Amino acid sequence: MKLSSKIHRFLLILVCIIGLNQLAQADEFDYVRVSEALFPESRTWLNIGRAPTLPASQFQQVKNKLKQSYLAAISTSDPFEGQDCSFIQRSLEPSEIKSFYLLDIDHDGIVDIVYIGSAQCAEGGATVIWYGTQNGFAVRSPAVFPLRLLRVSSDGGRALSVSEGCCGDPVDKYHTGSLSNLRDGDTIPFLHDTVLPRSSLDRSFHFVARREVKLRLAPKINDQYDQGLSEFLNRAAFGNVLRSYLKNSKGVALASVVEYGQKWYFVVMAAESNALASHDPYLGVRAGWLLASEVNVLGHHERL
């Protein structure tokens, strides 16, 4: 075979491998990327998924201690532990080793171990934090958070997490909180198919709706009745409309884009404006796109 033919064949194989890898990556929903769009300030926080994972040799050494400290922290009626399924038993299987991360999550100078992976005995994800101590590990209550921890602030004081939609639900909920309570801050429901902005505004700002507005999953207008989606949701659905709001609804603009000569804002509508939602097919989704011409700017915004 000629050298040029060998090179051509090699390049073809390489392109195929790269393509398959990209498809595999596309199949895995990027929760961190969504959280960055909803909470741009969190981009400087520690991404837990990039922390080193527990080496196999160390995993074997500490897994019994992890189990003991976990069991000491749960109640006898814990929903993650039962006769038919044990969360801790399944999560400590060798196949789950890549779900255990090593980091000093609370910044006390002692390395902690964080499990972020399948809830094992339930739908969705789960997080368990084993805090390192001078005498081993300690698990605080609640032992299992039924969501995935995504980011932690540089001082360990704030956290970002996501609870995945159950049973095929396309809506996830993103939370801000603390390590003791991952959901004691803001909660933003988000539809999977929503188009994310490529970048954020230098400074986000508050706005108020000048008229009745439609929050959309993409920066374009589509109001056509969708019979198939309406039957799936058991509620009327129109085009790319996520939610409709009455005049004077409020929110925060986080990004902007110009499409076909129209300027759009990627926004998070205020929870206080839920009472002004006039059409709500996805039951609470409040992040998406609004036409810039439909809102009045009120002032800049500080979050988290």
Side-chain angles (χ1 to χ4, degrees):
M1 183 182 291
K2 293 183 179 180
L3 179 61
S4 59
S5 298
K6 290 182 179 179
I7 293 174
H8 178 75
R9 183 180 178 184
F10 170 77
L11 291 174
L12 182 61
I13 294 173
L14 182 61
V15 168
C16 291
I17 292 173
I18 293 173
L20 290 172
N21 184 53
Q22 289 177 337
L23 285 173
Q25 291 176 349
D27 288 339
E28 185 176 344
F29 195 75
D30 195 338
Y31 297 109
V32 172
R33 184 164 174 256
V34 175
S35 70
E36 290 175 349
L38 298 177
F39 302 95
E41 304 92 327
S42 70
R43 291 177 180 177
T44 60
W45 295 8
L46 173 65
N47 182 346
I48 305 295
R50 292 183 179 175
T53 55
L54 192 62
S57 57
Q58 190 175 350
F59 180 75
Q60 293 301 322
Q61 292 174 7
V62 303
K63 72 175 188 177
N64 286 334
K65 294 179 180 179
L66 298 181
K67 182 176 181 179
Q68 291 169 8
S69 57
Y70 167 87
L71 293 175
I74 66 172
S75 64
T76 54
S77 60
D78 192 279
F80 287 88
E81 296 296 325
Q83 294 182 346
D84 297 329
C85 184
S86 165
F87 167 82
I88 193 62
Q89 195 71 32
R90 291 191 177 188
S91 63
L92 289 174
E93 291 291 329
S95 59
E96 298 295 319
I97 190 171
K98 291 185 178 180
S99 297
F100 290 83
Y101 298 90
L102 284 173
L103 65 155
D104 183 6
I105 197 169
D106 57 353
H107 296 267
D108 65 352
I110 303 176
V111 174
D112 311 303
I113 296 177
V114 183
Y115 170 91
I116 304 173
S118 168
Q120 304 295 347
C121 301
E123 287 278 341
T127 296
V128 179
I129 303 174
W130 282 270
Y131 291 95
T133 71
Q134 298 295 340
N135 301 315
F137 297 98
V139 176
R140 302 168 187 170
S141 181
V144 182
F145 294 101
L147 35 72
R148 293 179 186 269
L149 181 61
L150 301 174
R151 286 186 179 273
V152 178
S153 63
S154 56
D155 61 358
R158 304 298 292 162
L160 251 179
S161 59
V162 59
S163 51
E164 302 157 62
C166 172
C167 316
D169 187 345
V171 176
D172 301 314
K173 293 180 179 180
Y174 290 80
H175 313 275
T176 58
S178 60
L179 290 178
S180 59
N181 185 345
L182 297 180
R183 291 181 287 194
D184 65 1
D186 196 8
T187 294
I188 300 177
F190 182 85
L191 182 70
H192 275 192
D193 292 338
T194 304
V195 173
L196 294 176
R198 298 185 184 91
S199 60
S200 300
L201 293 169
D202 291 336
R203 294 188 67 185
S204 57
F205 59 83
H206 291 282
F207 65 82
V208 61
R210 299 170 57 188
R211 59 177 75 93
E212 184 172 349
V213 297
K214 295 177 181 178
L215 184 69
R216 301 180 185 274
L217 64 82
K220 62 180 180 180
I221 295 175
N222 180 1
D223 293 330
Q224 186 174 356
Y225 175 69
D226 189 323
Q227 182 175 349
L229 183 58
S230 298
E231 291 175 354
F232 173 76
L233 296 174
N234 200 29
R235 292 174 293 277
F238 297 88
N240 62 0
V241 178
L242 296 171
R243 212 178 194 192
S244 297
Y245 284 90
L246 299 177
K247 180 181 178 180
N248 293 326
S249 298
K250 297 178 180 179
V252 176
L254 303 174
S256 67
V257 69
V258 176
E259 293 286 350
Y260 301 104
Q262 290 182 307
K263 187 174 183 179
W264 295 80
Y265 291 132
F266 179 77
V267 308
V268 173
M269 300 298 291
E272 65 189 64
S273 292
N274 287 344
L276 295 176
S278 59
H279 178 64
D280 192 15
Y282 298 99
L283 303 180
V285 168
R286 56 188 182 91
W289 296 87
L290 287 180
L291 276 169
S293 59
E294 296 177 331
V295 305
N296 288 329
V297 177
L298 296 178
H300 292 291
H301 174 63
E302 298 295 333
R303 305 179 74 198
L304 296 177

